[in-house]
Amino acid sequence: MKKLIVFAALAMATVTAQAQQVKYTINGVSSDNGGKVYLFDALSNTNIDSAVVKGGKFLMKGTATKDALLNIRPTNIDWNTMMFNDGTPVTVNINDSTLKGSPLNERLARYDVDITGPYTRMVKEIMAMPEAEQETKKEEWGAKANKVVMKMTEDMNDMFDKESATLIPAAFFGTYCNLWGAEAGMKRLESKPAFASHPLVQGMLKGLEAEAAREAKKAAYIGKQFTDLEEADVDGNMHKLSEYVGRGKWVLVDFWASWCGPCRAEMPNVVEAYEKYHAKGFDIVGLSFDNKKEPWVKAIADLKMPWVHLSDLKGWRTVASGVYEVNSIPDNLLIDPQGKIVARGLRAQGLHQKLKEIFGE
């Protein structure tokens, strides 16, 4: 679990200072009379304008960087509407998240609603529940969350294919990298698509390059024999990794922790893979980055993870981190029946695709 990209403030300031400025006009409709609406510049990370809703309407006019990604942010409604500052006036309806303007901005708003909207609505619905209800429905919501994230991942990839000649992918580039990984993000830029030159993407590039370097270091393990290590199970009994790996089965060594939100969100997907392929020769060994036994054991039960679990309860100082250079979780290694590492960092649909290649349907 980590932040993928941190912008360089100096680089952003230089890009903004040199960029062409164009006018924007935003006519808005909102039922939140008296509420305030802000205009947020994603590159400079600042609010550049604001307006108060009066009589169900608001208006913002000014200048901003040409093609800057701007977010229209109401204070009392949990949805931001994105637009590129392309000089074409826009009309935005805060009540139903629709936007009228240039064809580019209309498609951008539609993609945002269609691709990220289901996940946003699901999170809001869960958070609105009393804590006790969240607890009783966590299994149901875990399965639903897995499907929603996988659908978002696929739709995001399709959108990048369709819109590579436009600026639209720039608005979703950070999300794409979080879903598909830094290496996939860098690969998207290799063919120099139109969105690659957008300042927002360029500002992310340094972070991506650093991430890609880390991923390359991790990927160096692929093709090598696994390195043995020893940790305790939930009962305190010591076990070597070699008791389970290199003994005729395909094994996913899964690095996770009970406190890791992305790990928990991914776990229903891992459970689904286990249930589908275990009888065909697929197994999992969970290596936890927890530092307390109780939440570790509770998470195993809550998330219904029926495979072997080991941990030395040393958090990030765990032996597994040093042996396999794990600097973020979730992470994993897929090891063949002879003990050779064949893949790393398989998540969401990528895990299922790889197992399908090995085991078939």
Side-chain angles (χ1 to χ4, degrees):
M1 185 167 59
K2 61 189 175 183
K3 291 183 179 178
L4 177 64
I5 298 166
V6 178
F7 292 126
L10 181 59
M12 287 193 298
T14 301
V15 169
T16 303
Q18 294 176 348
Q20 178 186 350
Q21 301 291 296
V22 299
K23 293 180 180 179
Y24 61 80
T25 301
I26 302 169
N27 289 287
V29 176
S30 174
S31 60
D32 185 30
N33 283 309
K36 206 164 187 179
V37 181
Y38 292 93
L39 189 62
F40 181 85
D41 187 318
L43 182 64
S44 63
N45 204 33
T46 57
N47 291 317
I48 61 172
D49 202 349
S50 64
V52 176
V53 179
K54 296 178 181 178
K57 297 181 179 180
F58 64 91
L59 172 66
M60 288 186 281
K61 285 186 173 183
T63 60
T65 305
K66 185 180 186 304
D67 292 328
L69 180 65
L70 305 179
N71 286 275
I72 302 163
R73 292 186 165 183
T75 52
N76 300 320
I77 300 173
D78 291 333
W79 184 261
N80 303 323
T81 301
M82 297 191 292
M83 59 172 278
F84 287 107
N85 188 33
D86 58 8
T88 301
V90 303
T91 299
V92 60
N93 189 327
I94 299 297
N95 302 324
D96 61 11
S97 304
T98 57
L99 179 146
K100 291 184 178 180
S102 66
L104 179 79
N105 276 326
E106 289 182 3
R107 293 203 310 280
L108 172 66
R110 189 74 256 159
Y111 280 127
D112 197 20
V113 170
D114 291 347
I115 296 176
T116 68
Y119 180 80
T120 301
R121 290 193 296 272
M122 181 188 66
V123 171
K124 285 170 62 177
E125 189 175 346
I126 294 172
M127 297 307 295
M129 291 180 184
E131 193 171 331
E133 187 177 357
Q134 289 184 32
E135 183 68 20
T136 58
K137 292 186 175 181
K138 63 187 174 185
E139 185 175 346
E140 172 191 340
W141 280 109
K144 183 177 180 179
N146 181 50
K147 291 180 180 178
V148 170
V149 171
M150 290 181 71
K151 178 71 162 55
M152 180 169 62
T153 302
E154 293 168 2
D155 289 349
M156 186 78 69
N157 198 53
D158 290 342
M159 181 270 287
F160 267 65
D161 288 339
K162 293 175 183 176
E163 297 287 350
S164 62
T166 76
L167 293 180
I168 287 175
F172 300 97
F173 192 62
T175 303
Y176 181 90
C177 291
N178 278 318
L179 291 170
W180 285 89
E183 185 177 351
M186 293 289 285
K187 191 170 183 62
R188 280 283 177 184
L189 302 180
E190 287 178 359
S191 61
K192 301 188 186 307
F195 70 88
S197 61
H198 192 276
L200 195 62
V201 175
Q202 288 296 306
M204 296 179 185
L205 198 53
K206 281 190 176 181
L208 271 179
E209 288 171 345
E211 178 69 11
R214 287 192 291 269
E215 291 301 314
K217 199 171 183 181
K218 289 182 179 182
Y221 286 86
I222 297 174
K224 297 180 179 179
Q225 284 295 112
F226 80 98
T227 300
D228 207 3
L229 54 81
E230 189 174 31
E231 293 186 346
D233 63 20
V234 295
D235 296 318
N237 301 312
M238 298 301 292
H239 293 274
K240 290 185 176 182
L241 193 57
S242 54
E243 293 177 39
Y244 315 102
V245 175
R247 292 177 174 266
K249 289 188 175 183
W250 286 87
V251 180
L252 187 76
V253 177
D254 191 38
F255 306 113
W256 73 290
S258 66
W259 46 259
C260 169
C263 300
R264 297 182 74 107
E266 171 70 7
M267 207 54 71
N269 181 59
V270 181
V271 171
E272 182 182 340
Y274 180 85
E275 291 175 347
K276 185 173 183 178
Y277 295 106
H278 179 60
K280 296 183 178 182
F282 175 61
D283 218 334
I284 300 176
V285 176
L287 298 184
S288 169
F289 280 54
D290 278 274
N291 50 28
K292 293 182 180 179
K293 182 177 180 179
E294 185 177 345
W296 171 44
V297 175
K298 184 176 186 300
I300 293 170
D302 289 347
L303 296 170
K304 302 185 184 305
M305 301 152 64
W307 49 83
V308 171
H309 290 276
L310 305 176
S311 181
D312 52 16
L313 299 177
K314 292 181 179 179
W316 284 108
R317 295 182 178 180
T318 177
V319 63
S321 177
V323 170
Y324 289 109
E325 295 191 59
V326 182
N327 50 41
S328 64
I329 52 176
D331 192 5
N332 56 53
L333 305 170
L334 182 62
I335 304 177
D336 75 8
Q338 291 73 46
K340 184 173 72 176
I341 300 169
V342 298
R344 183 165 191 167
L346 296 170
R347 295 176 65 180
Q349 196 62 32
L351 174 60
H352 287 265
Q353 288 173 346
K354 188 64 179 179
L355 294 176
K356 182 180 176 180
E357 290 174 14
I358 296 168
F359 297 108
E361 291 289 355

PDB file of all heavy atoms in Angstrom, residues 169-203:
ATOM      1  N   PRO A 169      -7.347  10.320 -21.773  1.00  0.00           N
ATOM      2  CA  PRO A 169      -6.633   9.441 -20.840  1.00  0.00           C
ATOM      3  C   PRO A 169      -5.779  10.178 -19.810  1.00  0.00           C
ATOM      4  O   PRO A 169      -5.505   9.635 -18.740  1.00  0.00           O
ATOM      5  CB  PRO A 169      -5.765   8.581 -21.768  1.00  0.00           C
ATOM      6  CG  PRO A 169      -6.530   8.546 -23.050  1.00  0.00           C
ATOM      7  CD  PRO A 169      -7.100   9.931 -23.172  1.00  0.00           C
ATOM      8  N   ALA A 170      -5.366  11.406 -20.104  1.00  0.00           N
ATOM      9  CA  ALA A 170      -4.567  12.169 -19.129  1.00  0.00           C
ATOM     10  C   ALA A 170      -5.322  12.350 -17.827  1.00  0.00           C
ATOM     11  O   ALA A 170      -4.728  12.363 -16.742  1.00  0.00           O
ATOM     12  CB  ALA A 170      -4.186  13.528 -19.714  1.00  0.00           C
ATOM     13  N   ALA A 171      -6.649  12.490 -17.916  1.00  0.00           N
ATOM     14  CA  ALA A 171      -7.467  12.701 -16.717  1.00  0.00           C
ATOM     15  C   ALA A 171      -7.527  11.466 -15.835  1.00  0.00           C
ATOM     16  O   ALA A 171      -7.772  11.567 -14.626  1.00  0.00           O
ATOM     17  CB  ALA A 171      -8.882  13.120 -17.120  1.00  0.00           C
ATOM     18  N   PHE A 172      -7.290  10.300 -16.423  1.00  0.00           N
ATOM     19  CA  PHE A 172      -7.413   9.041 -15.689  1.00  0.00           C
ATOM     20  C   PHE A 172      -6.073   8.324 -15.531  1.00  0.00           C
ATOM     21  O   PHE A 172      -6.038   7.178 -15.083  1.00  0.00           O
ATOM     22  CB  PHE A 172      -8.390   8.105 -16.419  1.00  0.00           C
ATOM     23  CG  PHE A 172      -9.770   8.660 -16.574  1.00  0.00           C
ATOM     24  CD1 PHE A 172     -10.148   9.290 -17.752  1.00  0.00           C
ATOM     25  CD2 PHE A 172     -10.696   8.553 -15.550  1.00  0.00           C
ATOM     26  CE1 PHE A 172     -11.421   9.804 -17.907  1.00  0.00           C
ATOM     27  CE2 PHE A 172     -11.984   9.055 -15.688  1.00  0.00           C
ATOM     28  CZ  PHE A 172     -12.349   9.685 -16.874  1.00  0.00           C
ATOM     29  N   PHE A 173      -4.989   8.984 -15.898  1.00  0.00           N
ATOM     30  CA  PHE A 173      -3.705   8.288 -15.965  1.00  0.00           C
ATOM     31  C   PHE A 173      -3.255   7.760 -14.601  1.00  0.00           C
ATOM     32  O   PHE A 173      -2.759   6.633 -14.497  1.00  0.00           O
ATOM     33  CB  PHE A 173      -2.638   9.220 -16.543  1.00  0.00           C
ATOM     34  CG  PHE A 173      -1.369   8.504 -16.920  1.00  0.00           C
ATOM     35  CD1 PHE A 173      -1.375   7.530 -17.889  1.00  0.00           C
ATOM     36  CD2 PHE A 173      -0.168   8.810 -16.297  1.00  0.00           C
ATOM     37  CE1 PHE A 173      -0.206   6.860 -18.239  1.00  0.00           C
ATOM     38  CE2 PHE A 173       1.001   8.150 -16.640  1.00  0.00           C
ATOM     39  CZ  PHE A 173       0.980   7.178 -17.614  1.00  0.00           C
ATOM     40  N   GLY A 174      -3.417   8.557 -13.551  1.00  0.00           N
ATOM     41  CA  GLY A 174      -3.038   8.096 -12.218  1.00  0.00           C
ATOM     42  C   GLY A 174      -3.848   6.888 -11.787  1.00  0.00           C
ATOM     43  O   GLY A 174      -3.319   5.931 -11.209  1.00  0.00           O
ATOM     44  N   THR A 175      -5.160   6.913 -12.068  1.00  0.00           N
ATOM     45  CA  THR A 175      -6.028   5.780 -11.731  1.00  0.00           C
ATOM     46  C   THR A 175      -5.626   4.546 -12.521  1.00  0.00           C
ATOM     47  O   THR A 175      -5.596   3.432 -11.981  1.00  0.00           O
ATOM     48  CB  THR A 175      -7.496   6.128 -12.021  1.00  0.00           C
ATOM     49  OG1 THR A 175      -7.858   7.309 -11.300  1.00  0.00           O
ATOM     50  CG2 THR A 175      -8.419   4.997 -11.594  1.00  0.00           C
ATOM     51  N   TYR A 176      -5.313   4.740 -13.792  1.00  0.00           N
ATOM     52  CA  TYR A 176      -4.888   3.616 -14.637  1.00  0.00           C
ATOM     53  C   TYR A 176      -3.642   2.946 -14.059  1.00  0.00           C
ATOM     54  O   TYR A 176      -3.552   1.715 -13.984  1.00  0.00           O
ATOM     55  CB  TYR A 176      -4.601   4.111 -16.053  1.00  0.00           C
ATOM     56  CG  TYR A 176      -4.187   3.013 -17.008  1.00  0.00           C
ATOM     57  CD1 TYR A 176      -5.138   2.314 -17.743  1.00  0.00           C
ATOM     58  CD2 TYR A 176      -2.841   2.660 -17.167  1.00  0.00           C
ATOM     59  CE1 TYR A 176      -4.763   1.302 -18.619  1.00  0.00           C
ATOM     60  CE2 TYR A 176      -2.461   1.655 -18.033  1.00  0.00           C
ATOM     61  CZ  TYR A 176      -3.422   0.971 -18.753  1.00  0.00           C
ATOM     62  OH  TYR A 176      -3.046  -0.041 -19.598  1.00  0.00           O
ATOM     63  N   CYS A 177      -2.682   3.761 -13.636  1.00  0.00           N
ATOM     64  CA  CYS A 177      -1.437   3.210 -13.077  1.00  0.00           C
ATOM     65  C   CYS A 177      -1.698   2.474 -11.770  1.00  0.00           C
ATOM     66  O   CYS A 177      -1.050   1.465 -11.481  1.00  0.00           O
ATOM     67  CB  CYS A 177      -0.419   4.330 -12.861  1.00  0.00           C
ATOM     68  SG  CYS A 177       0.221   5.039 -14.393  1.00  0.00           S
ATOM     69  N   ASN A 178      -2.624   2.966 -10.971  1.00  0.00           N
ATOM     70  CA  ASN A 178      -2.965   2.264  -9.732  1.00  0.00           C
ATOM     71  C   ASN A 178      -3.635   0.923 -10.011  1.00  0.00           C
ATOM     72  O   ASN A 178      -3.416  -0.062  -9.296  1.00  0.00           O
ATOM     73  CB  ASN A 178      -3.887   3.133  -8.873  1.00  0.00           C
ATOM     74  CG  ASN A 178      -3.130   4.165  -8.072  1.00  0.00           C
ATOM     75  OD1 ASN A 178      -2.080   3.880  -7.521  1.00  0.00           O
ATOM     76  ND2 ASN A 178      -3.643   5.377  -8.019  1.00  0.00           N
ATOM     77  N   LEU A 179      -4.450   0.871 -11.064  1.00  0.00           N
ATOM     78  CA  LEU A 179      -5.163  -0.363 -11.395  1.00  0.00           C
ATOM     79  C   LEU A 179      -4.285  -1.366 -12.127  1.00  0.00           C
ATOM     80  O   LEU A 179      -4.340  -2.572 -11.854  1.00  0.00           O
ATOM     81  CB  LEU A 179      -6.381  -0.038 -12.263  1.00  0.00           C
ATOM     82  CG  LEU A 179      -7.531   0.706 -11.583  1.00  0.00           C
ATOM     83  CD1 LEU A 179      -8.556   1.162 -12.626  1.00  0.00           C
ATOM     84  CD2 LEU A 179      -8.205  -0.160 -10.535  1.00  0.00           C
ATOM     85  N   TRP A 180      -3.457  -0.886 -13.055  1.00  0.00           N
ATOM     86  CA  TRP A 180      -2.681  -1.772 -13.919  1.00  0.00           C
ATOM     87  C   TRP A 180      -1.197  -1.813 -13.578  1.00  0.00           C
ATOM     88  O   TRP A 180      -0.484  -2.695 -14.068  1.00  0.00           O
ATOM     89  CB  TRP A 180      -2.847  -1.357 -15.383  1.00  0.00           C
ATOM     90  CG  TRP A 180      -4.172  -1.739 -15.946  1.00  0.00           C
ATOM     91  CD1 TRP A 180      -5.323  -0.999 -15.931  1.00  0.00           C
ATOM     92  CD2 TRP A 180      -4.515  -2.975 -16.581  1.00  0.00           C
ATOM     93  NE1 TRP A 180      -6.351  -1.689 -16.527  1.00  0.00           N
ATOM     94  CE2 TRP A 180      -5.886  -2.906 -16.943  1.00  0.00           C
ATOM     95  CE3 TRP A 180      -3.801  -4.130 -16.896  1.00  0.00           C
ATOM     96  CZ2 TRP A 180      -6.550  -3.949 -17.589  1.00  0.00           C
ATOM     97  CZ3 TRP A 180      -4.461  -5.167 -17.540  1.00  0.00           C
ATOM     98  CH2 TRP A 180      -5.816  -5.067 -17.884  1.00  0.00           C
ATOM     99  N   GLY A 181      -0.722  -0.869 -12.773  1.00  0.00           N
ATOM    100  CA  GLY A 181       0.678  -0.857 -12.369  1.00  0.00           C
ATOM    101  C   GLY A 181       1.510   0.135 -13.174  1.00  0.00           C
ATOM    102  O   GLY A 181       1.141   0.547 -14.277  1.00  0.00           O
ATOM    103  N   ALA A 182       2.670   0.521 -12.587  1.00  0.00           N
ATOM    104  CA  ALA A 182       3.536   1.521 -13.210  1.00  0.00           C
ATOM    105  C   ALA A 182       4.064   1.058 -14.565  1.00  0.00           C
ATOM    106  O   ALA A 182       4.156   1.852 -15.509  1.00  0.00           O
ATOM    107  CB  ALA A 182       4.711   1.834 -12.273  1.00  0.00           C
ATOM    108  N   GLU A 183       4.400  -0.208 -14.672  1.00  0.00           N
ATOM    109  CA  GLU A 183       4.957  -0.721 -15.928  1.00  0.00           C
ATOM    110  C   GLU A 183       3.950  -0.581 -17.064  1.00  0.00           C
ATOM    111  O   GLU A 183       4.301  -0.175 -18.179  1.00  0.00           O
ATOM    112  CB  GLU A 183       5.366  -2.183 -15.766  1.00  0.00           C
ATOM    113  CG  GLU A 183       6.070  -2.757 -16.984  1.00  0.00           C
ATOM    114  CD  GLU A 183       6.541  -4.190 -16.776  1.00  0.00           C
ATOM    115  OE1 GLU A 183       6.468  -4.678 -15.631  1.00  0.00           O
ATOM    116  OE2 GLU A 183       6.966  -4.803 -17.764  1.00  0.00           O
ATOM    117  N   ALA A 184       2.684  -0.886 -16.780  1.00  0.00           N
ATOM    118  CA  ALA A 184       1.646  -0.753 -17.793  1.00  0.00           C
ATOM    119  C   ALA A 184       1.453   0.714 -18.172  1.00  0.00           C
ATOM    120  O   ALA A 184       1.224   1.035 -19.340  1.00  0.00           O
ATOM    121  CB  ALA A 184       0.332  -1.340 -17.275  1.00  0.00           C
ATOM    122  N   GLY A 185       1.544   1.598 -17.182  1.00  0.00           N
ATOM    123  CA  GLY A 185       1.425   3.026 -17.460  1.00  0.00           C
ATOM    124  C   GLY A 185       2.540   3.517 -18.368  1.00  0.00           C
ATOM    125  O   GLY A 185       2.301   4.260 -19.329  1.00  0.00           O
ATOM    126  N   MET A 186       3.761   3.100 -18.082  1.00  0.00           N
ATOM    127  CA  MET A 186       4.902   3.482 -18.914  1.00  0.00           C
ATOM    128  C   MET A 186       4.756   2.927 -20.328  1.00  0.00           C
ATOM    129  O   MET A 186       5.091   3.593 -21.309  1.00  0.00           O
ATOM    130  CB  MET A 186       6.193   2.969 -18.276  1.00  0.00           C
ATOM    131  CG  MET A 186       6.549   3.627 -16.950  1.00  0.00           C
ATOM    132  SD  MET A 186       7.092   5.334 -17.148  1.00  0.00           S
ATOM    133  CE  MET A 186       8.737   5.064 -17.806  1.00  0.00           C
ATOM    134  N   LYS A 187       4.236   1.726 -20.437  1.00  0.00           N
ATOM    135  CA  LYS A 187       4.068   1.107 -21.758  1.00  0.00           C
ATOM    136  C   LYS A 187       3.076   1.900 -22.593  1.00  0.00           C
ATOM    137  O   LYS A 187       3.223   2.015 -23.815  1.00  0.00           O
ATOM    138  CB  LYS A 187       3.596  -0.343 -21.591  1.00  0.00           C
ATOM    139  CG  LYS A 187       3.657  -1.151 -22.881  1.00  0.00           C
ATOM    140  CD  LYS A 187       3.410  -2.615 -22.615  1.00  0.00           C
ATOM    141  CE  LYS A 187       3.532  -3.440 -23.887  1.00  0.00           C
ATOM    142  NZ  LYS A 187       4.879  -3.378 -24.480  1.00  0.00           N
ATOM    143  N   ARG A 188       2.066   2.440 -21.931  1.00  0.00           N
ATOM    144  CA  ARG A 188       1.076   3.264 -22.635  1.00  0.00           C
ATOM    145  C   ARG A 188       1.720   4.495 -23.281  1.00  0.00           C
ATOM    146  O   ARG A 188       1.214   5.015 -24.278  1.00  0.00           O
ATOM    147  CB  ARG A 188      -0.009   3.707 -21.669  1.00  0.00           C
ATOM    148  CG  ARG A 188      -1.066   2.663 -21.382  1.00  0.00           C
ATOM    149  CD  ARG A 188      -2.032   2.550 -22.531  1.00  0.00           C
ATOM    150  NE  ARG A 188      -3.023   1.516 -22.322  1.00  0.00           N
ATOM    151  CZ  ARG A 188      -3.932   1.166 -23.224  1.00  0.00           C
ATOM    152  NH1 ARG A 188      -3.952   1.778 -24.397  1.00  0.00           N
ATOM    153  NH2 ARG A 188      -4.800   0.222 -22.982  1.00  0.00           N
ATOM    154  N   LEU A 189       2.807   4.971 -22.712  1.00  0.00           N
ATOM    155  CA  LEU A 189       3.446   6.191 -23.205  1.00  0.00           C
ATOM    156  C   LEU A 189       4.463   5.928 -24.309  1.00  0.00           C
ATOM    157  O   LEU A 189       4.917   6.863 -24.969  1.00  0.00           O
ATOM    158  CB  LEU A 189       4.135   6.922 -22.050  1.00  0.00           C
ATOM    159  CG  LEU A 189       3.239   7.323 -20.868  1.00  0.00           C
ATOM    160  CD1 LEU A 189       4.067   8.036 -19.812  1.00  0.00           C
ATOM    161  CD2 LEU A 189       2.080   8.187 -21.319  1.00  0.00           C
ATOM    162  N   GLU A 190       4.840   4.655 -24.514  1.00  0.00           N
ATOM    163  CA  GLU A 190       5.897   4.328 -25.467  1.00  0.00           C
ATOM    164  C   GLU A 190       5.580   4.774 -26.892  1.00  0.00           C
ATOM    165  O   GLU A 190       6.461   5.224 -27.628  1.00  0.00           O
ATOM    166  CB  GLU A 190       6.175   2.823 -25.446  1.00  0.00           C
ATOM    167  CG  GLU A 190       6.920   2.356 -24.208  1.00  0.00           C
ATOM    168  CD  GLU A 190       7.132   0.846 -24.214  1.00  0.00           C
ATOM    169  OE1 GLU A 190       6.671   0.180 -25.173  1.00  0.00           O
ATOM    170  OE2 GLU A 190       7.747   0.336 -23.254  1.00  0.00           O
ATOM    171  N   SER A 191       4.326   4.656 -27.299  1.00  0.00           N
ATOM    172  CA  SER A 191       3.941   5.018 -28.675  1.00  0.00           C
ATOM    173  C   SER A 191       3.668   6.506 -28.825  1.00  0.00           C
ATOM    174  O   SER A 191       3.223   6.948 -29.885  1.00  0.00           O
ATOM    175  CB  SER A 191       2.694   4.221 -29.086  1.00  0.00           C
ATOM    176  OG  SER A 191       1.605   4.533 -28.217  1.00  0.00           O
ATOM    177  N   LYS A 192       3.941   7.285 -27.766  1.00  0.00           N
ATOM    178  CA  LYS A 192       3.740   8.737 -27.756  1.00  0.00           C
ATOM    179  C   LYS A 192       2.328   9.141 -28.172  1.00  0.00           C
ATOM    180  O   LYS A 192       2.121   9.906 -29.145  1.00  0.00           O
ATOM    181  CB  LYS A 192       4.774   9.429 -28.663  1.00  0.00           C
ATOM    182  CG  LYS A 192       6.215   9.154 -28.233  1.00  0.00           C
ATOM    183  CD  LYS A 192       7.189   9.998 -29.015  1.00  0.00           C
ATOM    184  CE  LYS A 192       8.635   9.624 -28.700  1.00  0.00           C
ATOM    185  NZ  LYS A 192       8.944   9.642 -27.254  1.00  0.00           N
ATOM    186  N   PRO A 193       1.312   8.635 -27.473  1.00  0.00           N
ATOM    187  CA  PRO A 193      -0.072   9.033 -27.779  1.00  0.00           C
ATOM    188  C   PRO A 193      -0.280  10.506 -27.457  1.00  0.00           C
ATOM    189  O   PRO A 193       0.531  11.128 -26.762  1.00  0.00           O
ATOM    190  CB  PRO A 193      -0.898   8.138 -26.846  1.00  0.00           C
ATOM    191  CG  PRO A 193       0.022   7.858 -25.696  1.00  0.00           C
ATOM    192  CD  PRO A 193       1.389   7.747 -26.311  1.00  0.00           C
ATOM    193  N   ALA A 194      -1.375  11.075 -27.937  1.00  0.00           N
ATOM    194  CA  ALA A 194      -1.634  12.508 -27.778  1.00  0.00           C
ATOM    195  C   ALA A 194      -1.604  12.952 -26.326  1.00  0.00           C
ATOM    196  O   ALA A 194      -1.085  14.023 -25.998  1.00  0.00           O
ATOM    197  CB  ALA A 194      -2.984  12.857 -28.405  1.00  0.00           C
ATOM    198  N   PHE A 195      -2.135  12.129 -25.426  1.00  0.00           N
ATOM    199  CA  PHE A 195      -2.228  12.532 -24.019  1.00  0.00           C
ATOM    200  C   PHE A 195      -0.886  12.516 -23.302  1.00  0.00           C
ATOM    201  O   PHE A 195      -0.738  13.099 -22.218  1.00  0.00           O
ATOM    202  CB  PHE A 195      -3.227  11.642 -23.273  1.00  0.00           C
ATOM    203  CG  PHE A 195      -2.778  10.231 -23.063  1.00  0.00           C
ATOM    204  CD1 PHE A 195      -2.033   9.877 -21.941  1.00  0.00           C
ATOM    205  CD2 PHE A 195      -3.102   9.239 -23.974  1.00  0.00           C
ATOM    206  CE1 PHE A 195      -1.622   8.568 -21.735  1.00  0.00           C
ATOM    207  CE2 PHE A 195      -2.692   7.921 -23.787  1.00  0.00           C
ATOM    208  CZ  PHE A 195      -1.958   7.587 -22.657  1.00  0.00           C
ATOM    209  N   ALA A 196       0.117  11.857 -23.886  1.00  0.00           N
ATOM    210  CA  ALA A 196       1.417  11.712 -23.205  1.00  0.00           C
ATOM    211  C   ALA A 196       2.101  13.053 -22.968  1.00  0.00           C
ATOM    212  O   ALA A 196       2.871  13.203 -22.019  1.00  0.00           O
ATOM    213  CB  ALA A 196       2.332  10.805 -24.012  1.00  0.00           C
ATOM    214  N   SER A 197       1.828  14.036 -23.824  1.00  0.00           N
ATOM    215  CA  SER A 197       2.488  15.333 -23.680  1.00  0.00           C
ATOM    216  C   SER A 197       1.749  16.275 -22.739  1.00  0.00           C
ATOM    217  O   SER A 197       2.221  17.374 -22.475  1.00  0.00           O
ATOM    218  CB  SER A 197       2.620  16.001 -25.050  1.00  0.00           C
ATOM    219  OG  SER A 197       1.340  16.214 -25.626  1.00  0.00           O
ATOM    220  N   HIS A 198       0.598  15.846 -22.234  1.00  0.00           N
ATOM    221  CA  HIS A 198      -0.150  16.720 -21.321  1.00  0.00           C
ATOM    222  C   HIS A 198       0.678  16.961 -20.054  1.00  0.00           C
ATOM    223  O   HIS A 198       1.285  16.023 -19.519  1.00  0.00           O
ATOM    224  CB  HIS A 198      -1.494  16.093 -20.951  1.00  0.00           C
ATOM    225  CG  HIS A 198      -2.419  17.042 -20.253  1.00  0.00           C
ATOM    226  ND1 HIS A 198      -2.352  17.265 -18.901  1.00  0.00           N
ATOM    227  CD2 HIS A 198      -3.409  17.839 -20.723  1.00  0.00           C
ATOM    228  CE1 HIS A 198      -3.276  18.152 -18.559  1.00  0.00           C
ATOM    229  NE2 HIS A 198      -3.933  18.515 -19.649  1.00  0.00           N
ATOM    230  N   PRO A 199       0.737  18.208 -19.566  1.00  0.00           N
ATOM    231  CA  PRO A 199       1.543  18.504 -18.362  1.00  0.00           C
ATOM    232  C   PRO A 199       1.211  17.637 -17.160  1.00  0.00           C
ATOM    233  O   PRO A 199       2.090  17.325 -16.360  1.00  0.00           O
ATOM    234  CB  PRO A 199       1.219  19.976 -18.085  1.00  0.00           C
ATOM    235  CG  PRO A 199       0.851  20.531 -19.404  1.00  0.00           C
ATOM    236  CD  PRO A 199       0.139  19.425 -20.133  1.00  0.00           C
ATOM    237  N   LEU A 200      -0.048  17.227 -17.038  1.00  0.00           N
ATOM    238  CA  LEU A 200      -0.428  16.368 -15.921  1.00  0.00           C
ATOM    239  C   LEU A 200       0.289  15.023 -15.992  1.00  0.00           C
ATOM    240  O   LEU A 200       0.792  14.519 -14.984  1.00  0.00           O
ATOM    241  CB  LEU A 200      -1.943  16.163 -15.930  1.00  0.00           C
ATOM    242  CG  LEU A 200      -2.584  15.593 -14.662  1.00  0.00           C
ATOM    243  CD1 LEU A 200      -2.378  16.525 -13.483  1.00  0.00           C
ATOM    244  CD2 LEU A 200      -4.064  15.345 -14.888  1.00  0.00           C
ATOM    245  N   VAL A 201       0.369  14.467 -17.196  1.00  0.00           N
ATOM    246  CA  VAL A 201       1.058  13.184 -17.392  1.00  0.00           C
ATOM    247  C   VAL A 201       2.561  13.370 -17.237  1.00  0.00           C
ATOM    248  O   VAL A 201       3.245  12.550 -16.609  1.00  0.00           O
ATOM    249  CB  VAL A 201       0.716  12.593 -18.772  1.00  0.00           C
ATOM    250  CG1 VAL A 201       1.525  11.319 -19.030  1.00  0.00           C
ATOM    251  CG2 VAL A 201      -0.773  12.301 -18.868  1.00  0.00           C
ATOM    252  N   GLN A 202       3.085  14.458 -17.814  1.00  0.00           N
ATOM    253  CA  GLN A 202       4.510  14.724 -17.694  1.00  0.00           C
ATOM    254  C   GLN A 202       4.923  14.922 -16.235  1.00  0.00           C
ATOM    255  O   GLN A 202       6.011  14.514 -15.820  1.00  0.00           O
ATOM    256  CB  GLN A 202       4.879  15.962 -18.522  1.00  0.00           C
ATOM    257  CG  GLN A 202       4.853  15.737 -20.022  1.00  0.00           C
ATOM    258  CD  GLN A 202       5.884  14.720 -20.472  1.00  0.00           C
ATOM    259  OE1 GLN A 202       7.064  14.843 -20.172  1.00  0.00           O
ATOM    260  NE2 GLN A 202       5.438  13.702 -21.198  1.00  0.00           N
ATOM    261  N   GLY A 203       4.042  15.541 -15.455  1.00  0.00           N
ATOM    262  CA  GLY A 203       4.335  15.730 -14.043  1.00  0.00           C
ATOM    263  C   GLY A 203       4.396  14.420 -13.280  1.00  0.00           C
ATOM    264  O   GLY A 203       5.081  14.308 -12.261  1.00  0.00           O
TER     265      GLY A 203
END
